Amino acid sequence: MIIETRSLHKAYGKHTALRDVSIGVRPGTTLGIVGESGSGKSTVARLMAGLERPTSGEVLLDGVPLPKRGRALRAARRRLGFVFQDPYASLDPRFTLEQIVGEPLRAHGLWQDGGRDRVDELLRAVGMGGIDPRSRAGEFSGGQRQRLCVARAIATRPHLVICDEPTSALDVSVQAQILNLLLDLQESLGVSYVLISHDIDVVRRMSDDIVVMRSGEVRESGPCTEVLADPRDEYTRTLLDAMPGRRGQEIR
Ligand SMILES: Nc1ncnc2c1ncn2[C@@H]1O[C@H](COP(=O)(O)OP(=O)(O)OP(=O)(O)O)[C@@H](O)[C@H]1O
Ligand SMILES: [Mg+2]
């Protein structure tokens, strides 16, 4: 497994946000996480990323427990990338493309080692080659900003990118482009994804495996096609019926 959680518990005061969550992502594959609002999806993502510590349980990255703090944690984080929901909130519009995409390289002390060329390469990889890296993020559309977020997420060549609702703030037409970009990058880089989404069509299209969460617990998990075709859990069935895109058109 690229990343694995073992019996994760997370409490915020008296409120239990996660209970006994054990999930894993196989190399080169995508794990989709679905569940209603407040079910704990983003909390799992934050714990996987080492942005917060579990109350108990552990996260293994490439089979090794994620360091709890300090330098070792920073070094481990180099093997992880993140894409969040809202590219308007996660990018400072005053920053240049080079500053944004190069930020993880600088943070991990890799800028000296051909950072500028790497930025060009990353911009090309996300379909923004030929754009002046000195332009400011504020000049670009939501879809292009999310491409920049993707470029930034893969800058340090992570094995795993955690995408928390990467397309839900975007126009439908742009959503498919970003998903295609993620799929293309998976093919060319062999990167694994954790993909959190409310949209069942997105998950169906992107994921090899799926985890269904409710109230901080895993209700069901397994190969995506099997779980979606024949959900064993009553809650999964209800969720699938209630989810947007259930009867909608396939994306693409
Ligand atoms: N920092 C925090 N302090 C207190 N409670 C929190 C905190 N973060 C999350 N929670 C609670 O933990 C639970 C899980 O939240 P989480 O954000 O993981 O849900 P989610 O599945 O990502 O929801 P959404 O689909 O709305 O993004 C919720 O009840 C939430 O209120
Ligand atoms: Mg969330």
Side-chain angles (χ1 to χ4, degrees), residues 41-55:
K41 306 181 297 294
S42 296
T43 304
V44 172
R46 288 195 303 274
L47 295 185
M48 280 180 159
L51 297 172
E52 283 179 43
R53 302 251 300 272
T55 306

Side-chain angles (χ1 to χ4, degrees), residues 37-38 40-43 46 85 164-165 196 198:
S37 186
K41 306 181 297 294
S42 296
T43 304
R46 288 195 303 274
Q85 176 166 355
D164 193 349
E165 305 269 6
I196 295 173
H198 273 102

Side-chain angles (χ1 to χ4, degrees), residues 42-130:
S42 296
T43 304
V44 172
R46 288 195 303 274
L47 295 185
M48 280 180 159
L51 297 172
E52 283 179 43
R53 302 251 300 272
T55 306
S56 66
E58 61 180 352
V59 176
L60 304 182
L61 183 61
D62 292 317
V64 178
L66 196 64
K68 290 190 169 56
R69 62 180 82 79
R71 256 200 164 159
L73 175 60
R74 275 225 312 277
R77 293 256 286 274
R78 200 169 124 180
R79 288 181 279 147
L80 298 170
F82 312 96
V83 178
F84 298 106
Q85 176 166 355
D86 186 355
Y88 289 93
S90 53
L91 288 190
D92 189 324
R94 295 166 303 181
F95 281 21
T96 67
L97 308 196
E98 184 173 282
Q99 285 173 318
I100 287 164
V101 175
E103 184 268 325
L105 300 174
R106 290 198 170 86
H108 291 287
L110 303 169
W111 183 254
Q112 272 64 32
D113 194 15
R116 204 152 276 141
D117 291 342
R118 179 71 180 142
V119 166
D120 290 341
E121 188 178 283
L122 287 162
L123 289 175
R124 278 200 303 278
V126 300
M128 291 182 74

Side-chain angles (χ1 to χ4, degrees), residues 4 21 23 29 34 37 55-57 60 105-106 144 151 155 164 179 183 187 201 206 214 217 222 227 232-233:
E4 203 180 336
V21 173
I23 61 180
T29 70
V34 297
S37 186
T55 306
S56 66
L60 304 182
L105 300 174
R106 290 198 170 86
Q144 282 173 311
D164 193 349
L179 296 176
L183 287 172
E187 204 171 294
D201 278 336
M206 303 290 292
R214 186 186 197 188
E217 293 181 43
V227 171
R232 273 167 297 156
D233 194 283

Side-chain angles (χ1 to χ4, degrees), residues 223-252:
C224 192
T225 43
E226 284 176 30
V227 171
L228 293 186
D230 185 22
R232 273 167 297 156
D233 194 283
E234 180 64 33
Y235 170 71
T236 308
R237 259 176 259 150
T238 322
L239 184 71
L240 291 181
D241 285 338
M243 274 180 127
R246 175 64 174 155
R247 288 172 210 83
Q249 297 162 314
E250 290 284 332
I251 291 171
R252 182 164 249 187

